[in-house]
Amino acid sequence: MVLVQRDHGDRSNRRHARLKYTIDDHGIDWFKDELQEYLGWNLESPRDFAFESMADPFGWQEGLDGRWYYTLFVESGRVRDHEGRNLKAALREIAKIHEGDFRLTANQNLVIGRVPEDAKSGISQILSSHGVGDAHEGSGLRLNSISCTAMPTCGLALAEAERYLPDLVTVLEAVTEDCGLLADEIVIRMTGCPNGCGRPYLGEIGLVGKAPGKYNLYLGAGFDGTRLNKLYREALTHEEIIA
């Protein structure tokens, strides 16, 4: 697919350079034929499928290749050493002994991949000794939270996101616990501006920065990712969001 886009995409106009425009210009049938030409074989007919969740399967999972895969929760996708939870140091130690790979998920998390059975305990020990062995044992709300970098990194940001969302989730966890929903998976996403780099419009709770300290609140997206949310309230402060 990358090769088809490289050879047939519009490389002269950045606003028209995405794969979706190549498909729109030439048609889906042309794209399939071109892709199959590059592959050297024909694609099978589509099979029935259904999305049930957008979440990552945390902890150890056995792959189809017989190897093991450990998915780590990485809050806002930021690998760092912070307050005794030294994720960056842990990954550095694992990289010294790990012969598999590291993979990034679409939810800002990280997978330690292709781990042999006899290497699992060593990796688990490194994670535990660095205070991140239980990173995936948080609330359902926290484990399904995503934010963009926003202020001060992004010049387009109108409000905080990465540095604010974890604190907001902490407050909201008290609310979900009172409702008996602490373990329930709830997708919450926040961005510092309407461009939506953290995909807030697919969050069951979506927050989009409108001004410093103020956010538009979107509600009602599908947990399985098949329904967008809708604008509920505009320009809410921290206290108004919680209320």
Side-chain angles (χ1 to χ4, degrees), residues 77-216:
R78 181 71 65 180
V79 174
R80 61 176 180 165
D81 296 338
H82 182 64
E83 296 182 347
R85 303 182 70 84
N86 300 322
L87 178 58
K88 185 176 182 179
L91 292 175
R92 187 182 297 276
E93 288 299 311
I94 290 171
K96 293 177 182 178
I97 64 169
H98 182 41
E99 297 181 356
D101 53 38
F102 294 93
R103 308 181 183 197
L104 305 180
T105 80
N107 292 322
Q108 300 181 327
N109 298 313
L110 186 142
V111 180
I112 304 169
R114 298 179 61 245
V115 179
E117 177 81 37
D118 59 4
K120 287 173 58 183
S121 60
I123 288 177
S124 294
Q125 176 59 37
I126 291 173
L127 293 172
S128 296
S129 65
H130 286 80
V132 292
D134 60 349
H136 60 283
E137 297 177 3
S139 70
L141 188 66
R142 191 174 299 276
L143 294 179
N144 288 274
S145 62
I146 287 181
S147 65
C148 70
T149 55
M151 289 180 174
T153 305
C154 179
L156 299 177
L158 305 171
E160 294 274 7
E162 178 188 344
R163 299 192 296 180
Y164 170 46
L165 182 58
D167 294 335
L168 176 62
V169 168
T170 297
V171 177
L172 293 179
E173 282 173 333
V175 179
T176 58
E177 187 170 20
D178 288 342
C179 296
L181 300 172
L182 187 64
D184 285 38
E185 294 181 303
I186 302 170
V187 179
I188 180 170
R189 295 178 175 178
M190 175 182 288
T191 57
C193 83
N195 285 309
C197 293
R199 309 197 301 278
Y201 309 112
L202 278 170
E204 293 174 285
I205 303 171
L207 293 151
V208 177
K210 189 175 179 68
K214 294 187 177 182
Y215 299 82
N216 289 348

